[in-house]
Amino acid sequence: MTTPTSSPSPNEPGERPLDGAVVAVAGAAGPAGRATLLRLAEAGATVVASDSDPARLAEAVDAARYAHGGASVTGETVDLLDLDATRAWADRTEKEFGRVDGLIHLVGGWRGSKTFADAPLADWDTLHNLLIRTAQHTSLAFHDALLRSGKGRFVLISAGGATKPTAGNAAYAAAKAAAEAWTLALADSFRKLGGEGDPSAAAAILVVKALVHDAMRAERPNAKFAGFTDVKELAEAITGLWDQPAQEVNGTRLWLTPKP
């Protein structure tokens, strides 16, 4: 497939916010991924989705295509714990579509314990892979392509617990904090490579308490989900990161829930 390697002017009449942009979404098969695919497609982006579950990924991709007829949404099963496989995904994406303007990291997972003392350290191993290693691999794989884009965005979803850990969430909070630190180091790379001018790409962190979606509300109609962020709101915030200049986005933590 051949596509233009430059985006249309943002001031063209009738243009959608992300017309011409190519955005990769890692961990796209869950509720947050589905909402993000839908919103990015609606905004005009070409969306390249990945997940470890091929069946759920196919459902998410088909839903986005169906909701927005004519939208370019593709899916590919990628082992994000394999750096070479992740680099190959990034290379294929840029080669096929001519550019990569975003990588949205939605790979998640949670482990917790009743008390600090009974926290199983095996939880750390699991969360290290899910929350940290996949963020490392995707950021390394897409770093150069995001710079070449001229409007690249790397987006990490974090949790308020990284700022104020609780006894039963030690492994989860520590993993989220480590992923945040890695993302801020990526932001520093973008800043330094901007030289005397503004950075050409940005790395940002969106902070939630937890996520909620329609199926959760249907299952628990009396629950208030206080402080939770709806996946549609998250998707809107992700898409909005292209509305601001890179220097205003780079290295920032955008809170979508009250600070603890």
Side-chain angles (χ1 to χ4, degrees):
M1 177 185 294
T2 301
T3 59
T5 57
S6 60
S7 300
S9 166
N11 296 318
E12 289 181 9
E15 183 202 347
R16 293 172 295 179
L18 291 179
D19 275 343
V22 178
V23 182
V25 181
R34 288 182 176 229
T36 300
L37 297 186
L38 286 167
R39 184 65 188 96
L40 289 171
E42 180 184 42
T46 293
V47 189
V48 185
S50 79
D51 200 272
S52 61
D53 187 323
R56 293 177 68 221
L57 177 62
E59 291 175 1
V61 168
D62 287 346
R65 288 174 175 166
Y66 178 79
H68 303 289
S72 176
V73 185
T74 60
E76 182 175 349
T77 304
V78 180
D79 181 3
L80 298 178
L81 294 178
D82 183 328
L83 179 56
D84 289 339
T86 309
R87 288 190 190 278
W89 177 45
D91 291 344
R92 282 194 303 275
T93 300
E94 187 176 25
K95 181 178 180 180
E96 180 172 359
F97 297 103
R99 59 187 301 126
V100 181
D101 301 291
L103 185 286
I104 315 302
H105 185 275
L106 294 175
V107 182
W110 180 83
R111 296 290 188 280
S113 58
K114 291 183 178 180
T115 70
F116 179 85
D118 67 7
L121 290 181
D123 285 354
W124 169 258
D125 297 333
T126 298
L127 293 170
H128 173 268
N129 282 338
L130 287 174
L131 304 182
I132 304 171
R133 187 65 76 192
T134 59
Q136 291 173 325
H137 287 176
T138 52
S139 60
L140 290 169
F142 284 88
H143 176 275
D144 291 355
L146 294 176
L147 281 174
R148 285 190 287 269
S149 154
K151 60 177 182 179
R153 299 289 187 270
F154 180 92
V155 185
L156 179 83
I157 312 306
S158 189
T163 299
K164 191 175 181 180
T166 57
N169 274 333
Y172 179 75
K176 283 293 190 182
E180 285 197 13
W182 184 272
T183 301
L184 293 175
L186 172 64
D188 190 53
S189 175
F190 289 154
R191 184 180 301 111
K192 289 177 176 175
L193 291 171
E196 296 295 325
D198 295 326
S200 63
I205 300 164
L206 302 185
V207 185
V208 302
K209 175 182 178 180
L211 296 172
V212 64
H213 50 87
D214 290 344
M216 289 173 62
R217 291 192 178 95
E219 291 171 3
R220 300 171 58 192
N222 297 322
K224 297 187 181 299
F225 300 106
F228 284 37
T229 300
D230 192 282
V231 292
K232 297 183 185 72
E233 180 185 351
L234 175 68
E236 188 67 34
I238 289 170
T239 305
L241 291 174
W242 278 271
D243 295 338
Q244 306 169 63
Q247 66 268 26
E248 295 181 12
V249 173
N250 195 40
T252 60
R253 299 170 84 240
L254 175 60
W255 285 79
L256 303 181
T257 188
K259 292 184 180 182

